[in-house]
Each structure stands twice: as C-alpha cells, then as structure tokens.
Amino acid sequence: MTIRSLLVTGAAGGIGRTLRTSLKGRYPLIRWSDVVAMAPAGPGEECVTADLSDAGAMIDLCAGMDAILHLGGQSTEAAWPVVQAANIQGLINLYEAARLAGTKRVLFASSNHAVGLWRRSNLIDHTAPARPDGRYGLSKAFGEDLSQLYAYKHGIAGFCMRIGSCFEKPANQRMLSTWLSFADFTRLAIVGLEADYTYEIVYGVSRNTRSWWDNANAYRLGYDPQDNAEVFAADVEHIIGAVPMDEDFQGGGFVSPDFTGDPARIPA
Ligand code: NAI
Ligand code: 15L
C-alpha cells in the first residue's frame, strides 16, 4: 500500500521515540501523537497532543490519515479504570475515528500478555487463542478482536503485533526469549504498513534462538528480523524472577500478582 499520511500514537513512549528516527522521511506526512508533550515537529511531521479517551479529539486526530500505527495507551498492568479508559474506550474511540476518516489500515501494538498464561513449554503461533495474564493482557486481547471486527466488517486492514519485550537490550533470562530490538520493531512495522493483507496476528520478536513463538506468519508477510537476544546471554542469563510460577508462564512477572487460581487447572 502507498502511504501518504501516517498517524503514530504513543509517540512520546519508549518505542515511539525510536520510531521518530527510524521512520523519518519514509512517508510524506507522519503525524505523531501522545497525551504528553513530544519533541517538536520537523519537516514532514506534525505533533498533536491528544487523549485517547476523548472521542472528539480522536476524530480530529485521525482525519486525513491513510494509516495508523497505534502504540499509545497503558503499557503495563494497572487498575481497571486506567486500563478501561486508555485501552478499551480509548481503542474504541481510535478505531471509530479511523472508520470515519476512511483510514485504510491500523497496526495495533498488542502484547505477549494477551497470551501470557500459555506455558513456556508451548511453542505457540499466531493461531493460539488469547489467554491473558491480567487486566492489561485482556485489553490487548480485546484490541485484537476489535481489530478483526474493523478489518472484516469495515475494511480497515488490521495488523496485530503481539510484542514481546521491546527495549534497547534484554534485561533478564526471560527476555532472551521475548526480546524485540528497536530495529526489528521498525522492520515489522514497515511490513505491517506496506504488505498486502486483511487481518493478521504476528509476534513482535527478534530472531531469538530461545523464542517461544513460531513467527512463520510474520515471515510469510515479509518480516526478516536481523537481531538475536542470544548475544546478550552471558550478561542476563542468571537474572530470574523470584516467583517460581512466573518462570513457568510466558507472561513472567505479570502472572503472579493478584493470582488466586490453581496453576494446575490452566490447560497445557
Ligand atoms: P510506553 O508506556 O513507553 O508508551 C506508551 C505511550 O502512550 C506513552 O508515551 C503514554 O504517554 C501514551 N499514553 C498513555 N495513555 C494515553 C492516553 N490516554 N492517550 C494518549 N496517549 C496515552 O510504552 P512502549 O513501551 O513504548 O510500548 C508501546 C506500545 O506497545 C504500548 O501499547 C504497549 O502496550 C505495547 N507493548 C510494548 C512492549 C514493550 O516491550 N515495550 C511489549 C508489548 C506491548
Ligand atoms: C509489555 O506488554 C509491556 O508493555 C512491557 O513494558 C514489558 O513488560 C513487556 O510486555 C514484557 O513482557 O517484557
């Protein structure tokens, strides 16, 4: 798809800030948005401060946008009202605004926490049903379904990236499996922005030797990750969480807080 105008939400966040550099000049207009202040706009850029929970502001924000890369929102576990405002109502506001604007595709930053209660012993792929490990993970599972609704019912192509751990480098043993380098995130986002598809789920993960995710669906669409967390193994292999249960499940430290169930009853 030829993109003349791209909206990126969550522009002031960890991933958004790196994209300001890596996507610079790739599309004629990139509109960067966040609820907090951003670095000033350069050539071919606009910066718009807007809150996802404000439906009217989302309509103004999405106007004229060919494509949206949606990174904004609550990015870790939080109380229900916080998750609901940013990641449930906020997502509804964004997709509805995209529909009104005639936007052709929306890339959604989903998370491994949508499937965090799968065990690490399972190699799962894009067909694995959601198994959220908390309120935040559930909001990402909701986002994947919302994306599917707008893809099939309203013709807005949906690209849901179940991102692992997207940071400068892995911080612990778990991230030797889940790490996504910023450079590989850019590669994956460009596939999502430019490939031909209607609705896809992919994993946002580098080419890690220890990955728990079969990312054949992303490779099929053209994703070719260049980084592998294994080069950091000597530095972080010994860093393991204090709660044994967290080390059994893919969601890691998101699993045990608030947990009152019976791990043995979670299917293999
Ligand atoms: P981040 O927390 O650094 O950035 C999120 C941005 O969203 C922040 O700048 C924040 O101000 C903005 N935001 C929060 N509430 C908002 C609202 N109501 N209206 C408008 N903007 C709002 O997160 P990061 O690491 O950059 O992640 C980006 C996206 O990717 C998030 O959606 C996150 O859930 C998802 N993700 C990130 C992973 C990672 O390892 N970095 C892993 C899995 C998913
Ligand atoms: C996420 O979904 C979070 O946004 C990020 O901050 C990390 O906690 C990541 O998952 C992870 O699982 O490492």
Side-chain angles (χ1 to χ4, degrees):
M1 171 185 168
T2 302
I3 294 173
R4 289 158 298 139
S5 52
L6 169 67
L7 167 65
V8 183
T9 67
I15 298 177
R17 288 195 310 274
T18 71
L19 292 176
R20 286 288 292 271
T21 305
S22 61
L23 288 183
K24 203 181 187 77
R26 190 169 182 99
Y27 307 109
L29 170 64
I30 304 186
R31 181 177 291 165
W32 301 96
S33 180
D34 205 292
V35 74
V36 298
M38 292 149 280
E45 293 185 323
E46 294 174 0
C47 289
V48 180
T49 305
D51 190 329
L52 287 158
S53 60
D54 180 340
M58 287 305 112
I59 290 173
D60 293 342
L61 184 66
C62 294
M65 293 294 110
D66 289 339
I68 299 173
L69 170 50
H70 180 49
L71 303 171
Q74 177 62 32
S75 66
T76 53
E77 186 60 299
W80 280 119
V82 176
V83 172
Q84 188 180 349
N87 292 11
I88 304 289
Q89 191 58 52
L91 207 61
I92 293 168
N93 293 343
L94 183 91
Y95 275 79
E96 201 46 22
R99 185 180 70 80
L100 293 172
T103 300
K104 298 284 182 279
R105 62 180 57 192
V106 178
L107 279 61
F108 171 57
S110 184
S111 170
N112 71 89
H113 297 289
V115 287
L117 284 187
W118 284 93
R119 288 190 175 74
R120 296 183 187 189
S121 52
N122 294 114
L123 179 73
I124 60 173
D125 69 8
H126 61 290
T127 64
R131 206 182 269 181
D133 57 25
R135 297 172 292 274
Y136 165 71
L138 179 67
S139 75
K140 294 299 188 180
F142 168 78
E144 291 181 1
D145 280 351
L146 191 74
S147 173
Q148 182 170 193
L149 173 70
Y150 278 77
Y152 294 147
K153 184 147 186 174
H154 300 302
I156 300 178
F159 192 73
C160 298
M161 300 172 282
R162 288 179 176 168
I163 303 169
S165 305
C166 189
F167 301 106
E168 196 179 344
K169 50 188 182 174
N172 51 41
Q173 188 186 83
R174 172 176 175 271
M175 290 191 195
L176 295 175
S177 300
T178 61
W179 186 59
L180 171 64
S181 70
F182 289 134
D184 281 342
F185 181 87
T186 300
R187 292 183 183 100
L188 183 63
I190 288 171
V191 169
L193 288 167
E194 298 178 6
D196 184 24
Y197 59 85
T198 300
Y199 175 76
E200 299 292 346
I201 292 175
V202 297
Y203 286 88
V205 65
S206 286
R207 206 179 279 280
N208 302 334
T209 306
R210 307 186 194 193
S211 180
W212 305 313
W213 304 315
D214 172 351
N215 213 8
N217 197 40
Y219 297 162
R220 178 184 66 82
L221 291 160
Y223 177 50
D224 184 15
Q226 302 294 308
D227 294 313
N228 185 337
E230 206 59 26
V231 299
F232 299 98
D235 299 336
V236 299
E237 191 146 45
H238 60 287
I239 305 174
I240 297 168
V243 182
M245 176 186 175
D246 289 346
E247 297 303 309
D248 283 342
F249 289 95
Q250 298 192 358
F254 283 53
V255 171
S256 60
D258 308 326
F259 193 92
T260 52
D262 176 359
R265 289 191 170 272
I266 301 172

